[in-house]
Amino acid sequence: MFDGFELTRCQGEGARLRVRHGGRGPAVLLLHGHPRTHATWHRVAPLLAAGGHTVVCPDLRGYGESDKPASDPEHRPYSKRAMAADCLAVMRRLGHERFAVVGHDRGGYVAMRLALDHPEAVSAVSALDVVPIGEALRRCDATFAASWWHWFFLGQTENPAERVINADPDAWYTATSEQMGAEAYEDFRRAIHDPATVHAMCEDYRAGLGIDREHDDADRRAGRRIDSPLQVLWATRDDMATLYGDVLGVWRAWAGDRLEGGPIDSGHHMSEEAPDALAAALLGFWRSDAGR
């Protein structure tokens, strides 16, 4: 797994992150979603490195083997702004002042926040199977609540979800070795069997329902957009199109002049299920005029 890549620990803005990196060329930062670790990229990262890129894959703060800072009543330590600041600090420590960023699921929110808070550092953004948190909550209806009820289960605090998940993490998180690959699956299982990681992942969702939405809404009121080229990809066997219809249309209010994207024939975890198609889409975007 990750042949030729280096595994290290690197200090972020407020948390020390486990980071896998390798390759040569223009830098790209790959950000995983819930409940994965950086190992979810093990089939895609080598393809991007072979395509002429330096590839950096961290565990986001709270996830995998990265630090899990103590939270606060507003869940600010698990805001996407805090996670984005970690990632920026890591990239700078590795010598990358400007880079493309790819974010899947929760990592997509971090990628968006990086681009909005630090536009000078981000050359291109690819958001996978995600729309902005504020947009998702603004459009929330019975269909969304039925499909994505876990947002509200993980995000509430009166009856914390941690006790339910920790009772049987393997039953709650139903990934398989066949889907993920044996090494990635074992890395994932170590994470979900750590109660501190489970708590941190719930804090991610609590931040999403509160402080992250506030940040999104403030940017929308101010008219801020993602200045860098923006690519949006979604899985055909997930529910982005069902929930939102015109997925690119949801993102249009956040994009500058360069927005493109489309579906990938895959389930939700496209880096594991459709790595060749995903890598081809990313490399094509970066090589196009829109991705420069």
Side-chain angles (χ1 to χ4, degrees), residues 77-120:
Y78 290 89
S79 69
K80 307 312 156 294
R81 176 161 285 160
M83 292 183 179
D86 279 339
C87 293
L88 180 66
V90 164
M91 292 301 280
R92 286 177 171 168
R93 288 181 184 278
L94 293 175
H96 308 303
E97 293 295 326
R98 188 166 169 81
F99 49 89
V101 57
V102 180
H104 174 255
D105 187 81
R106 307 301 289 185
Y109 306 135
V110 182
M112 172 182 167
R113 186 48 50 197
L114 255 173
L116 288 167
D117 288 359
H118 308 284
E120 76 289 345

mmCIF file of all heavy atoms in Angstrom, residues 77-120:
data_model
loop_
_atom_site.group_PDB
_atom_site.id
_atom_site.type_symbol
_atom_site.label_atom_id
_atom_site.label_comp_id
_atom_site.label_asym_id
_atom_site.label_seq_id
_atom_site.Cartn_x
_atom_site.Cartn_y
_atom_site.Cartn_z
ATOM 1 N N PRO A 77 -12.803 23.456 17.678
ATOM 2 C CA PRO A 77 -11.614 22.689 17.295
ATOM 3 C C PRO A 77 -11.867 21.680 16.179
ATOM 4 O O PRO A 77 -10.906 21.199 15.570
ATOM 5 C CB PRO A 77 -11.215 21.996 18.601
ATOM 6 C CG PRO A 77 -11.720 22.903 19.669
ATOM 7 C CD PRO A 77 -13.033 23.399 19.132
ATOM 8 N N TYR A 78 -13.124 21.364 15.903
ATOM 9 C CA TYR A 78 -13.443 20.432 14.822
ATOM 10 C C TYR A 78 -14.175 21.121 13.671
ATOM 11 O O TYR A 78 -14.769 20.462 12.826
ATOM 12 C CB TYR A 78 -14.230 19.242 15.377
ATOM 13 C CG TYR A 78 -13.309 18.409 16.231
ATOM 14 C CD1 TYR A 78 -13.167 18.679 17.593
ATOM 15 C CD2 TYR A 78 -12.497 17.431 15.658
ATOM 16 C CE1 TYR A 78 -12.258 17.962 18.363
ATOM 17 C CE2 TYR A 78 -11.590 16.721 16.418
ATOM 18 C CZ TYR A 78 -11.477 16.993 17.775
ATOM 19 O OH TYR A 78 -10.561 16.282 18.524
ATOM 20 N N SER A 79 -14.084 22.442 13.640
ATOM 21 C CA SER A 79 -14.615 23.190 12.498
ATOM 22 C C SER A 79 -13.761 22.904 11.274
ATOM 23 O O SER A 79 -12.585 22.552 11.360
ATOM 24 C CB SER A 79 -14.617 24.684 12.790
ATOM 25 O OG SER A 79 -13.285 25.184 12.839
ATOM 26 N N LYS A 80 -14.334 23.068 10.122
ATOM 27 C CA LYS A 80 -13.582 22.873 8.887
ATOM 28 C C LYS A 80 -12.530 23.962 8.721
ATOM 29 O O LYS A 80 -11.511 23.745 8.072
ATOM 30 C CB LYS A 80 -14.525 22.799 7.681
ATOM 31 C CG LYS A 80 -15.642 21.752 7.854
ATOM 32 C CD LYS A 80 -15.090 20.415 8.336
ATOM 33 C CE LYS A 80 -16.127 19.580 9.063
ATOM 34 N NZ LYS A 80 -16.612 20.111 10.333
ATOM 35 N N ARG A 81 -12.771 25.112 9.349
ATOM 36 C CA ARG A 81 -11.747 26.166 9.329
ATOM 37 C C ARG A 81 -10.497 25.714 10.075
ATOM 38 O O ARG A 81 -9.371 25.924 9.613
ATOM 39 C CB ARG A 81 -12.328 27.438 9.946
ATOM 40 C CG ARG A 81 -11.337 28.584 10.088
ATOM 41 C CD ARG A 81 -12.061 29.901 10.248
ATOM 42 N NE ARG A 81 -12.606 30.334 8.964
ATOM 43 C CZ ARG A 81 -13.601 31.233 8.837
ATOM 44 N NH1 ARG A 81 -14.160 31.758 9.918
ATOM 45 N NH2 ARG A 81 -14.014 31.584 7.635
ATOM 46 N N ALA A 82 -10.675 25.076 11.226
ATOM 47 C CA ALA A 82 -9.526 24.564 11.985
ATOM 48 C C ALA A 82 -8.838 23.444 11.225
ATOM 49 O O ALA A 82 -7.597 23.380 11.169
ATOM 50 C CB ALA A 82 -9.980 24.080 13.357
ATOM 51 N N MET A 83 -9.615 22.540 10.620
ATOM 52 C CA MET A 83 -9.022 21.448 9.850
ATOM 53 C C MET A 83 -8.259 21.980 8.644
ATOM 54 O O MET A 83 -7.170 21.488 8.305
ATOM 55 C CB MET A 83 -10.105 20.478 9.411
ATOM 56 C CG MET A 83 -10.742 19.685 10.534
ATOM 57 S SD MET A 83 -11.951 18.510 9.893
ATOM 58 C CE MET A 83 -12.489 17.707 11.409
ATOM 59 N N ALA A 84 -8.821 22.992 7.989
ATOM 60 C CA ALA A 84 -8.147 23.587 6.830
ATOM 61 C C ALA A 84 -6.836 24.243 7.235
ATOM 62 O O ALA A 84 -5.829 24.146 6.517
ATOM 63 C CB ALA A 84 -9.070 24.597 6.160
ATOM 64 N N ALA A 85 -6.825 24.911 8.389
ATOM 65 C CA ALA A 85 -5.593 25.543 8.860
ATOM 66 C C ALA A 85 -4.512 24.506 9.129
ATOM 67 O O ALA A 85 -3.326 24.728 8.842
ATOM 68 C CB ALA A 85 -5.876 26.371 10.112
ATOM 69 N N ASP A 86 -4.897 23.351 9.703
ATOM 70 C CA ASP A 86 -3.943 22.248 9.877
ATOM 71 C C ASP A 86 -3.321 21.862 8.531
ATOM 72 O O ASP A 86 -2.104 21.701 8.415
ATOM 73 C CB ASP A 86 -4.656 21.004 10.415
ATOM 74 C CG ASP A 86 -4.883 21.027 11.903
ATOM 75 O OD1 ASP A 86 -4.186 21.770 12.615
ATOM 76 O OD2 ASP A 86 -5.766 20.276 12.354
ATOM 77 N N CYS A 87 -4.185 21.649 7.545
ATOM 78 C CA CYS A 87 -3.714 21.163 6.248
ATOM 79 C C CYS A 87 -2.795 22.171 5.580
ATOM 80 O O CYS A 87 -1.774 21.795 4.974
ATOM 81 C CB CYS A 87 -4.907 20.843 5.348
ATOM 82 S SG CYS A 87 -5.891 19.439 5.916
ATOM 83 N N LEU A 88 -3.141 23.441 5.682
ATOM 84 C CA LEU A 88 -2.272 24.471 5.101
ATOM 85 C C LEU A 88 -0.902 24.455 5.767
ATOM 86 O O LEU A 88 0.134 24.526 5.086
ATOM 87 C CB LEU A 88 -2.925 25.840 5.264
ATOM 88 C CG LEU A 88 -2.128 27.016 4.702
ATOM 89 C CD1 LEU A 88 -2.012 26.927 3.190
ATOM 90 C CD2 LEU A 88 -2.764 28.342 5.119
ATOM 91 N N ALA A 89 -0.870 24.351 7.097
ATOM 92 C CA ALA A 89 0.403 24.324 7.809
ATOM 93 C C ALA A 89 1.233 23.114 7.412
ATOM 94 O O ALA A 89 2.459 23.215 7.219
ATOM 95 C CB ALA A 89 0.158 24.334 9.317
ATOM 96 N N VAL A 90 0.596 21.955 7.263
ATOM 97 C CA VAL A 90 1.302 20.745 6.852
ATOM 98 C C VAL A 90 1.887 20.918 5.460
ATOM 99 O O VAL A 90 3.060 20.580 5.216
ATOM 100 C CB VAL A 90 0.352 19.530 6.910
ATOM 101 C CG1 VAL A 90 0.924 18.355 6.126
ATOM 102 C CG2 VAL A 90 0.098 19.133 8.355
ATOM 103 N N MET A 91 1.109 21.448 4.534
ATOM 104 C CA MET A 91 1.616 21.627 3.167
ATOM 105 C C MET A 91 2.805 22.582 3.153
ATOM 106 O O MET A 91 3.791 22.342 2.443
ATOM 107 C CB MET A 91 0.502 22.115 2.256
ATOM 108 C CG MET A 91 -0.604 21.089 2.019
ATOM 109 S SD MET A 91 -0.020 19.537 1.280
ATOM 110 C CE MET A 91 0.111 20.021 -0.452
ATOM 111 N N ARG A 92 2.740 23.625 3.931
ATOM 112 C CA ARG A 92 3.864 24.566 3.969
ATOM 113 C C ARG A 92 5.094 23.927 4.596
ATOM 114 O O ARG A 92 6.218 24.149 4.132
ATOM 115 C CB ARG A 92 3.444 25.824 4.726
ATOM 116 C CG ARG A 92 2.501 26.694 3.906
ATOM 117 C CD ARG A 92 2.015 27.913 4.662
ATOM 118 N NE ARG A 92 1.283 28.816 3.777
ATOM 119 C CZ ARG A 92 0.556 29.847 4.194
ATOM 120 N NH1 ARG A 92 0.482 30.123 5.497
ATOM 121 N NH2 ARG A 92 -0.077 30.618 3.329
ATOM 122 N N ARG A 93 4.907 23.112 5.617
ATOM 123 C CA ARG A 93 6.049 22.427 6.231
ATOM 124 C C ARG A 93 6.698 21.445 5.255
ATOM 125 O O ARG A 93 7.897 21.193 5.331
ATOM 126 C CB ARG A 93 5.620 21.706 7.503
ATOM 127 C CG ARG A 93 5.313 22.633 8.657
ATOM 128 C CD ARG A 93 4.914 21.886 9.913
ATOM 129 N NE ARG A 93 4.528 22.794 10.969
ATOM 130 C CZ ARG A 93 5.372 23.419 11.783
ATOM 131 N NH1 ARG A 93 6.676 23.204 11.666
ATOM 132 N NH2 ARG A 93 4.927 24.230 12.729
ATOM 133 N N LEU A 94 5.894 20.900 4.353
ATOM 134 C CA LEU A 94 6.424 19.987 3.342
ATOM 135 C C LEU A 94 6.956 20.728 2.116
ATOM 136 O O LEU A 94 7.412 20.095 1.165
ATOM 137 C CB LEU A 94 5.337 18.997 2.919
ATOM 138 C CG LEU A 94 4.893 18.001 4.002
ATOM 139 C CD1 LEU A 94 3.725 17.164 3.497
ATOM 140 C CD2 LEU A 94 6.050 17.096 4.429
ATOM 141 N N GLY A 95 6.885 22.052 2.134
ATOM 142 C CA GLY A 95 7.470 22.858 1.062
ATOM 143 C C GLY A 95 6.532 23.214 -0.065
ATOM 144 O O GLY A 95 6.994 23.651 -1.127
ATOM 145 N N HIS A 96 5.222 23.098 0.164
ATOM 146 C CA HIS A 96 4.245 23.361 -0.904
ATOM 147 C C HIS A 96 3.454 24.620 -0.551
ATOM 148 O O HIS A 96 2.554 24.592 0.287
ATOM 149 C CB HIS A 96 3.305 22.175 -1.066
ATOM 150 C CG HIS A 96 4.010 20.864 -1.233
ATOM 151 N ND1 HIS A 96 4.923 20.644 -2.251
ATOM 152 C CD2 HIS A 96 3.952 19.715 -0.503
ATOM 153 C CE1 HIS A 96 5.381 19.407 -2.146
ATOM 154 N NE2 HIS A 96 4.820 18.834 -1.099
ATOM 155 N N GLU A 97 3.787 25.725 -1.203
ATOM 156 C CA GLU A 97 3.102 26.981 -0.947
ATOM 157 C C GLU A 97 1.790 27.089 -1.709
ATOM 158 O O GLU A 97 0.877 27.816 -1.302
ATOM 159 C CB GLU A 97 4.015 28.157 -1.309
ATOM 160 C CG GLU A 97 5.225 28.292 -0.411
ATOM 161 C CD GLU A 97 4.846 28.637 1.031
ATOM 162 O OE1 GLU A 97 3.854 29.373 1.229
ATOM 163 O OE2 GLU A 97 5.547 28.181 1.949
ATOM 164 N N ARG A 98 1.685 26.377 -2.846
ATOM 165 C CA ARG A 98 0.474 26.417 -3.663
ATOM 166 C C ARG A 98 0.218 25.009 -4.198
ATOM 167 O O ARG A 98 1.148 24.319 -4.624
ATOM 168 C CB ARG A 98 0.636 27.414 -4.809
ATOM 169 C CG ARG A 98 -0.650 27.675 -5.601
ATOM 170 C CD ARG A 98 -0.484 28.916 -6.468
ATOM 171 N NE ARG A 98 -1.564 29.073 -7.427
ATOM 172 C CZ ARG A 98 -2.767 29.588 -7.153
ATOM 173 N NH1 ARG A 98 -3.028 29.985 -5.925
ATOM 174 N NH2 ARG A 98 -3.691 29.712 -8.086
ATOM 175 N N PHE A 99 -1.030 24.590 -4.166
ATOM 176 C CA PHE A 99 -1.331 23.193 -4.454
ATOM 177 C C PHE A 99 -2.800 23.055 -4.834
ATOM 178 O O PHE A 99 -3.645 23.898 -4.503
ATOM 179 C CB PHE A 99 -1.027 22.329 -3.225
ATOM 180 C CG PHE A 99 -1.620 22.863 -1.946
ATOM 181 C CD1 PHE A 99 -2.903 22.511 -1.541
ATOM 182 C CD2 PHE A 99 -0.889 23.748 -1.151
ATOM 183 C CE1 PHE A 99 -3.443 23.016 -0.367
ATOM 184 C CE2 PHE A 99 -1.434 24.259 0.025
ATOM 185 C CZ PHE A 99 -2.705 23.894 0.417
ATOM 186 N N ALA A 100 -3.105 21.961 -5.523
ATOM 187 C CA ALA A 100 -4.493 21.571 -5.761
ATOM 188 C C ALA A 100 -4.982 20.779 -4.559
ATOM 189 O O ALA A 100 -4.200 20.123 -3.869
ATOM 190 C CB ALA A 100 -4.596 20.728 -7.031
ATOM 191 N N VAL A 101 -6.290 20.827 -4.310
ATOM 192 C CA VAL A 101 -6.854 20.087 -3.187
ATOM 193 C C VAL A 101 -8.071 19.316 -3.662
ATOM 194 O O VAL A 101 -8.900 19.824 -4.422
ATOM 195 C CB VAL A 101 -7.200 21.024 -1.998
ATOM 196 C CG1 VAL A 101 -8.158 22.118 -2.419
ATOM 197 C CG2 VAL A 101 -7.757 20.235 -0.827
ATOM 198 N N VAL A 102 -8.146 18.056 -3.220
ATOM 199 C CA VAL A 102 -9.258 17.160 -3.528
ATOM 200 C C VAL A 102 -9.868 16.730 -2.204
ATOM 201 O O VAL A 102 -9.152 16.246 -1.315
ATOM 202 C CB VAL A 102 -8.775 15.911 -4.301
ATOM 203 C CG1 VAL A 102 -9.954 14.987 -4.615
ATOM 204 C CG2 VAL A 102 -8.038 16.318 -5.573
ATOM 205 N N GLY A 103 -11.175 16.906 -2.061
ATOM 206 C CA GLY A 103 -11.830 16.527 -0.818
ATOM 207 C C GLY A 103 -13.054 15.684 -1.073
ATOM 208 O O GLY A 103 -13.917 16.053 -1.875
ATOM 209 N N HIS A 104 -13.112 14.541 -0.395
ATOM 210 C CA HIS A 104 -14.266 13.650 -0.503
ATOM 211 C C HIS A 104 -15.093 13.732 0.765
ATOM 212 O O HIS A 104 -14.558 13.735 1.876
ATOM 213 C CB HIS A 104 -13.800 12.202 -0.707
ATOM 214 C CG HIS A 104 -14.917 11.205 -0.691
ATOM 215 N ND1 HIS A 104 -15.161 10.371 0.377
ATOM 216 C CD2 HIS A 104 -15.873 10.931 -1.614
ATOM 217 C CE1 HIS A 104 -16.218 9.609 0.107
ATOM 218 N NE2 HIS A 104 -16.670 9.931 -1.081
ATOM 219 N N ASP A 105 -16.434 13.824 0.611
ATOM 220 C CA ASP A 105 -17.316 13.764 1.770
ATOM 221 C C ASP A 105 -16.919 14.874 2.751
ATOM 222 O O ASP A 105 -16.837 16.039 2.341
ATOM 223 C CB ASP A 105 -17.234 12.351 2.361
ATOM 224 C CG ASP A 105 -18.208 12.062 3.475
ATOM 225 O OD1 ASP A 105 -19.376 11.764 3.170
ATOM 226 O OD2 ASP A 105 -17.790 12.129 4.650
ATOM 227 N N ARG A 106 -16.673 14.584 4.016
ATOM 228 C CA ARG A 106 -16.310 15.639 4.974
ATOM 229 C C ARG A 106 -15.044 16.371 4.534
ATOM 230 O O ARG A 106 -14.899 17.572 4.782
ATOM 231 C CB ARG A 106 -16.105 15.049 6.375
ATOM 232 C CG ARG A 106 -17.225 14.199 6.930
ATOM 233 C CD ARG A 106 -18.552 14.901 7.049
ATOM 234 N NE ARG A 106 -18.571 15.906 8.100
ATOM 235 C CZ ARG A 106 -19.679 16.580 8.435
ATOM 236 N NH1 ARG A 106 -20.818 16.361 7.805
ATOM 237 N NH2 ARG A 106 -19.654 17.498 9.397
ATOM 238 N N GLY A 107 -14.134 15.656 3.895
ATOM 239 C CA GLY A 107 -12.944 16.316 3.373
ATOM 240 C C GLY A 107 -13.260 17.356 2.318
ATOM 241 O O GLY A 107 -12.492 18.297 2.102
ATOM 242 N N GLY A 108 -14.404 17.204 1.626
ATOM 243 C CA GLY A 108 -14.822 18.208 0.659
ATOM 244 C C GLY A 108 -15.124 19.540 1.319
ATOM 245 O O GLY A 108 -14.865 20.609 0.740
ATOM 246 N N TYR A 109 -15.669 19.505 2.544
ATOM 247 C CA TYR A 109 -15.920 20.746 3.270
ATOM 248 C C TYR A 109 -14.603 21.421 3.670
ATOM 249 O O TYR A 109 -14.499 22.644 3.673
ATOM 250 C CB TYR A 109 -16.757 20.473 4.518
ATOM 251 C CG TYR A 109 -18.026 19.732 4.252
ATOM 252 C CD1 TYR A 109 -18.413 18.667 5.064
ATOM 253 C CD2 TYR A 109 -18.849 20.071 3.178
ATOM 254 C CE1 TYR A 109 -19.586 17.973 4.827
ATOM 255 C CE2 TYR A 109 -20.022 19.379 2.938
ATOM 256 C CZ TYR A 109 -20.390 18.325 3.753
ATOM 257 O OH TYR A 109 -21.544 17.626 3.522
ATOM 258 N N VAL A 110 -13.615 20.612 4.029
ATOM 259 C CA VAL A 110 -12.306 21.159 4.373
ATOM 260 C C VAL A 110 -11.650 21.767 3.139
ATOM 261 O O VAL A 110 -11.052 22.851 3.205
ATOM 262 C CB VAL A 110 -11.410 20.075 4.992
ATOM 263 C CG1 VAL A 110 -10.058 20.660 5.391
ATOM 264 C CG2 VAL A 110 -12.086 19.441 6.202
ATOM 265 N N ALA A 111 -11.774 21.093 1.991
ATOM 266 C CA ALA A 111 -11.220 21.629 0.747
ATOM 267 C C ALA A 111 -11.861 22.967 0.406
ATOM 268 O O ALA A 111 -11.173 23.930 0.018
ATOM 269 C CB ALA A 111 -11.441 20.633 -0.387
ATOM 270 N N MET A 112 -13.167 23.051 0.538
ATOM 271 C CA MET A 112 -13.871 24.307 0.270
ATOM 272 C C MET A 112 -13.394 25.412 1.217
ATOM 273 O O MET A 112 -13.148 26.547 0.794
ATOM 274 C CB MET A 112 -15.372 24.080 0.433
ATOM 275 C CG MET A 112 -16.211 25.334 0.368
ATOM 276 S SD MET A 112 -17.957 24.952 0.619
ATOM 277 C CE MET A 112 -18.611 26.617 0.887
ATOM 278 N N ARG A 113 -13.259 25.071 2.494
ATOM 279 C CA ARG A 113 -12.832 26.075 3.464
ATOM 280 C C ARG A 113 -11.401 26.538 3.194
ATOM 281 O O ARG A 113 -11.082 27.733 3.343
ATOM 282 C CB ARG A 113 -12.977 25.480 4.873
ATOM 283 C CG ARG A 113 -12.719 26.402 6.031
ATOM 284 C CD ARG A 113 -13.391 27.724 5.956
ATOM 285 N NE ARG A 113 -14.810 27.684 5.672
ATOM 286 C CZ ARG A 113 -15.511 28.733 5.248
ATOM 287 N NH1 ARG A 113 -14.902 29.884 5.024
ATOM 288 N NH2 ARG A 113 -16.801 28.628 5.013
ATOM 289 N N LEU A 114 -10.530 25.612 2.791
ATOM 290 C CA LEU A 114 -9.168 25.995 2.399
ATOM 291 C C LEU A 114 -9.199 27.021 1.282
ATOM 292 O O LEU A 114 -8.488 28.033 1.307
ATOM 293 C CB LEU A 114 -8.396 24.752 1.933
ATOM 294 C CG LEU A 114 -7.348 24.147 2.831
ATOM 295 C CD1 LEU A 114 -6.838 22.839 2.236
ATOM 296 C CD2 LEU A 114 -6.185 25.113 3.047
ATOM 297 N N ALA A 115 -10.010 26.763 0.267
ATOM 298 C CA ALA A 115 -10.060 27.648 -0.894
ATOM 299 C C ALA A 115 -10.637 29.012 -0.547
ATOM 300 O O ALA A 115 -10.209 30.036 -1.102
ATOM 301 C CB ALA A 115 -10.875 26.995 -2.009
ATOM 302 N N LEU A 116 -11.608 29.050 0.366
ATOM 303 C CA LEU A 116 -12.214 30.320 0.739
ATOM 304 C C LEU A 116 -11.346 31.113 1.705
ATOM 305 O O LEU A 116 -11.243 32.340 1.598
ATOM 306 C CB LEU A 116 -13.588 30.070 1.370
ATOM 307 C CG LEU A 116 -14.685 29.620 0.399
ATOM 308 C CD1 LEU A 116 -15.886 29.106 1.177
ATOM 309 C CD2 LEU A 116 -15.091 30.744 -0.531
ATOM 310 N N ASP A 117 -10.724 30.428 2.658
ATOM 311 C CA ASP A 117 -9.924 31.116 3.672
ATOM 312 C C ASP A 117 -8.512 31.428 3.203
ATOM 313 O O ASP A 117 -7.899 32.389 3.684
ATOM 314 C CB ASP A 117 -9.839 30.266 4.939
ATOM 315 C CG ASP A 117 -11.140 30.215 5.722
ATOM 316 O OD1 ASP A 117 -12.116 30.862 5.286
ATOM 317 O OD2 ASP A 117 -11.189 29.522 6.764
ATOM 318 N N HIS A 118 -7.982 30.621 2.282
ATOM 319 C CA HIS A 118 -6.582 30.761 1.862
ATOM 320 C C HIS A 118 -6.472 30.664 0.340
ATOM 321 O O HIS A 118 -5.794 29.777 -0.190
ATOM 322 C CB HIS A 118 -5.736 29.674 2.535
ATOM 323 C CG HIS A 118 -5.906 29.614 4.021
ATOM 324 N ND1 HIS A 118 -5.339 30.531 4.878
ATOM 325 C CD2 HIS A 118 -6.628 28.750 4.799
ATOM 326 C CE1 HIS A 118 -5.677 30.229 6.126
ATOM 327 N NE2 HIS A 118 -6.455 29.164 6.105
ATOM 328 N N PRO A 119 -7.112 31.551 -0.391
ATOM 329 C CA PRO A 119 -7.144 31.437 -1.860
ATOM 330 C C PRO A 119 -5.769 31.511 -2.497
ATOM 331 O O PRO A 119 -5.561 30.951 -3.585
ATOM 332 C CB PRO A 119 -8.024 32.610 -2.290
ATOM 333 C CG PRO A 119 -7.994 33.565 -1.133
ATOM 334 C CD PRO A 119 -7.872 32.718 0.085
ATOM 335 N N GLU A 120 -4.843 32.168 -1.839
ATOM 336 C CA GLU A 120 -3.494 32.286 -2.404
ATOM 337 C C GLU A 120 -2.773 30.952 -2.461
ATOM 338 O O GLU A 120 -1.823 30.782 -3.242
ATOM 339 C CB GLU A 120 -2.677 33.280 -1.581
ATOM 340 C CG GLU A 120 -2.167 32.785 -0.234
ATOM 341 C CD GLU A 120 -3.254 32.596 0.844
ATOM 342 O OE1 GLU A 120 -4.376 33.104 0.647
ATOM 343 O OE2 GLU A 120 -2.954 31.964 1.884
#
